[in-house]
Amino acid sequence: MENSQQSPTAALSGQVLFYSNPQPLSAEKHGGLGLKNIEKPFAFLGKAHAVPVTVTEFAIAATSYPIIFVGADKTPIAAMGIRQDENLFVVDGNVDVDFYVPAFARRYPFVFANDPQQERMLLCVDRDAPMVSNKPDIPFFENGEPTEYTNNAMAFCQEFERQRRGTNDFVKVIDELGLFVERSANYQPRDAEGNDTGPPQTIAQYWAIDEDKLRALPEAKLAELARNGILGACNAHSMSLLNWSRVINRAMRTQAPESAPQPQGGAGGPALQN
């Protein structure tokens, strides 16, 4: 990985969720910038209903959200909402304190970007991020050198990149073992008396790890997966799917009172199926 003082004119490639104007961080261009404390630090996360997570986060993220695999690449994400552009766990620009914030979001406004000309990664900052300021509380540079905060941000992004590559390897192993199956999350709307108020609704279609296929693997392979941590991650993913009820209940509470069914736990709770 390259250090933070790179040419600001380097050509970059790739687009990343949240980032509108990533620029290679340099003392020449960003010497007077830094971060300021703002009241709504996670406002940018409020319109992300699906946030990527790395395999090392599965265990802790599973205590908060369903972890599912999406797209042709089977990217693991934390399902933080069921509607596009709505994160149910961000309230007034802050994440509910009882829930985990994925590293993908915690690294913002920093990110590594590809410099295809030099075949390297550059530490970038989203210049349009609301917490980036020319009157900072925490400067990026002092006397032309990265501050301790900037060095820590680089280390965090380096570790994230390492975990991201490890996650790709994890997905490849699961795919090669044929353990992925297509699943959907559905629920049956009901009124306060428990009567159906409409047809079942599908809120998500995704890839999941088939527990039966996993258990059917030879003992030697299961032991190998246990030793390298893959089995534990698979179990965390499976347990995380129980959080669909939590996500659906939070979604229902955001609807108009006259149209929302009763939350789960009352007579009108949704019948959830995975």
Side-chain angles (χ1 to χ4, degrees):
M1 299 298 177
E2 298 295 322
N3 64 38
S4 60
Q5 299 189 65
Q6 299 295 335
S7 169
T9 60
L12 304 178
S13 67
Q15 294 181 337
V16 185
L17 179 68
F18 306 140
Y19 299 82
S20 60
N21 185 19
Q23 300 178 0
L25 191 62
S26 70
E28 292 77 16
K29 188 170 183 177
H30 307 108
L33 298 182
L35 298 186
K36 65 178 179 179
N37 297 318
I38 60 176
E39 293 183 358
K40 301 178 180 182
F42 285 103
F44 68 91
L45 187 57
K47 291 188 176 182
H49 71 294
V51 180
V53 290
T54 63
V55 67
T56 55
E57 296 179 277
F58 279 20
I60 187 169
T63 65
S64 297
Y65 321 107
I67 299 170
I68 60 178
F69 301 84
V70 298
D73 294 334
K74 300 181 175 67
T75 301
I77 62 99
M80 300 178 72
I82 63 174
R83 289 183 284 266
Q84 195 76 23
D85 298 332
E86 181 184 55
N87 189 314
L88 296 167
F89 296 84
V90 176
V91 180
D92 196 27
N94 288 278
V95 180
D96 189 318
V97 295
D98 292 327
F99 297 95
Y100 177 71
V101 181
F104 188 96
R106 283 185 284 121
R107 66 179 176 166
Y108 188 79
F110 298 101
V111 67
F112 273 128
N114 291 321
D115 176 4
Q117 294 180 350
Q118 300 294 326
E119 297 184 351
R120 61 184 177 181
M121 301 291 286
L122 302 176
L123 181 67
C124 297
V125 64
D126 187 353
R127 183 62 185 86
D128 293 342
M131 65 281 291
V132 175
S133 171
N134 58 7
K135 297 180 180 179
D137 296 308
I138 306 172
F140 292 149
F141 298 93
E142 289 181 347
N143 300 319
E145 295 295 326
T147 61
E148 180 180 3
Y149 182 87
T150 300
N151 286 329
N152 288 340
M154 171 169 282
F156 186 92
C157 289
Q158 286 175 330
E159 178 60 18
F160 180 85
E161 283 299 308
R162 188 178 74 83
Q163 298 297 346
R164 184 186 62 81
R165 291 192 295 270
T167 301
N168 291 341
D169 293 340
F170 167 83
V171 170
K172 182 178 180 181
V173 168
I174 299 302
D175 214 6
E176 290 177 346
L177 289 172
L179 300 182
F180 280 118
V181 293
E182 291 184 276
R183 292 274 174 81
S184 63
N186 311 287
Y187 82 101
Q188 174 63 60
R190 292 174 179 163
D191 61 22
E193 285 71 42
N195 300 310
D196 294 353
T197 59
Q201 298 182 19
T202 298
I203 61 171
Q205 293 180 311
Y206 57 92
W207 296 98
I209 297 172
D210 190 301
E211 293 181 76
D212 291 335
K213 291 182 178 180
L214 180 62
R215 286 193 293 266
L217 291 175
E219 290 188 8
K221 174 58 70 173
L222 286 172
E224 176 187 339
L225 297 180
R227 285 194 302 271
N228 60 26
I230 290 179
L231 186 59
C234 291
N235 292 335
H237 153 69
S238 296
M239 291 296 295
S240 79
L241 298 180
L242 298 174
N243 289 319
W244 276 122
S245 293
R246 168 184 287 159
V247 174
I248 291 172
N249 288 340
R250 291 177 78 94
M252 290 192 300
R253 288 197 293 269
T254 68
Q255 298 175 2
E258 63 272 13
S259 64
Q262 292 293 313
Q264 187 168 4
L272 178 65
Q273 301 172 334
N274 287 321

